Amino acid sequence: MGESFERKLKKAVKPYLDRGRSGDYEHTLRAVGYGKELLQHEEGEEGIVIPALYLHDIGWGAVNFEDFINTRSPSRRRDAASVDLHMKHGAALAKEILEKLGYYMEMTRAIVSIIAVHDRPERIFAMENPSATAVFEADYLDKFGLKSIYRFETMFKMKPITDIEKKDVSAHLREGLKTWFKTRTAKRMALRLAKETGLL
């Protein structure tokens, strides 16, 4: 994937991400950075992983995500209807954007299939596809680290997080450290980010 195409894609996704949840654009850029770091050490096709990371959350701007924001328990938030809807809409929008940009048909199909399930680890890992795993790990690495904690707090600023809920989030993230990451590099990166925020 060339730098020119990446610039076009970055420009194309911004309006969609700006209509989504607070901090989605910045989250996307961090996830892309994590994806590039993972690809230096792990398997995966750059031409699938990096576009998928730019596009993975564009569906949030096309759905009502109040149920996501109003679900206070992070372990139950994955069951909010908007989670599945944003993946469905995101996959359709990603296909439109990639076709408009003249991207490779086979890679477009792979990217769309990953975006359609990217927040379902059981479905991602069942693919047994290094590119899908890299997309998931890069996305979920951004649940850790100082910038991610700040994003989490601003996303829920209308209903501030209580101390009890913060403990629930910490427990959820600690459990995620054990189950969300399959590659050695992602595990190492997740531990580093978790320590940065005092989670460990």
Side-chain angles (χ1 to χ4, degrees):
M1 187 185 75
E3 288 182 17
S4 174
F5 178 79
E6 184 173 356
R7 282 195 298 271
K8 289 176 186 174
L9 188 56
K10 185 177 179 180
K11 183 178 179 182
V13 301
K14 192 172 190 304
Y16 294 94
L17 293 166
D18 285 346
R19 288 195 294 270
R21 303 165 305 168
S22 173
D24 273 351
Y25 182 67
E26 294 76 14
H27 154 68
T28 294
L29 297 184
R30 287 193 298 273
V32 168
Y34 293 140
K36 289 178 178 180
E37 188 173 344
L38 286 170
L39 289 173
Q40 289 177 15
H41 308 282
E42 303 292 345
E43 293 181 37
E45 288 187 64
E46 182 188 32
I48 293 173
V49 174
I50 302 306
L53 285 169
Y54 272 112
L55 292 157
H56 76 283
D57 272 344
I58 60 174
W60 283 114
V63 303
N64 181 333
F65 49 83
E66 282 184 33
D67 63 339
F68 180 87
I69 298 296
N70 291 331
T71 303
R72 308 305 283 181
S73 167
S75 56
R76 287 174 40 214
R77 200 170 290 132
R78 73 186 304 269
D79 296 324
S82 61
V83 172
D84 283 330
L85 285 172
H86 99 277
M87 291 188 287
K88 177 182 175 182
H89 287 287
L93 289 168
K95 185 173 185 290
E96 286 178 21
I97 291 169
L98 291 170
E99 286 178 349
K100 187 176 179 182
L101 293 175
Y103 204 55
Y104 307 104
M105 195 180 303
E106 274 191 39
M107 286 187 170
T108 294
R109 279 197 291 265
I111 290 163
V112 168
S113 70
I114 291 168
I115 292 172
V117 296
H118 73 270
D119 273 328
R120 300 296 181 209
E122 64 281 2
R123 296 189 65 184
I124 287 289
F125 296 141
M127 290 181 172
E128 297 185 351
N129 178 326
S131 295
T133 298
V135 171
F136 177 81
E137 289 182 330
D139 182 21
Y140 273 55
L141 279 166
D142 198 47
K143 291 184 179 291
F144 302 88
L146 294 172
K147 290 179 180 176
S148 303
I149 298 299
Y150 175 75
R151 176 192 183 224
F152 173 76
E153 290 173 349
T154 57
M155 190 185 296
F156 296 93
K157 64 186 174 188
M158 299 303 289
K159 292 184 178 179
I161 306 298
T162 66
D163 287 340
I164 291 173
E165 287 166 345
K166 284 180 182 177
K167 288 180 182 177
D168 191 16
V169 168
S170 294
H172 180 68
L173 292 175
R174 285 192 194 96
E175 184 60 30
L177 284 172
K178 301 173 194 171
T179 59
W180 292 335
F181 306 106
K182 301 299 181 188
T183 66
R184 184 177 299 166
T185 306
K187 288 177 181 178
R188 175 179 51 77
M189 291 167 69
L191 286 172
R192 183 189 75 215
L193 290 164
K195 287 174 182 175
E196 177 187 298
T197 53
L199 193 63
L200 296 176

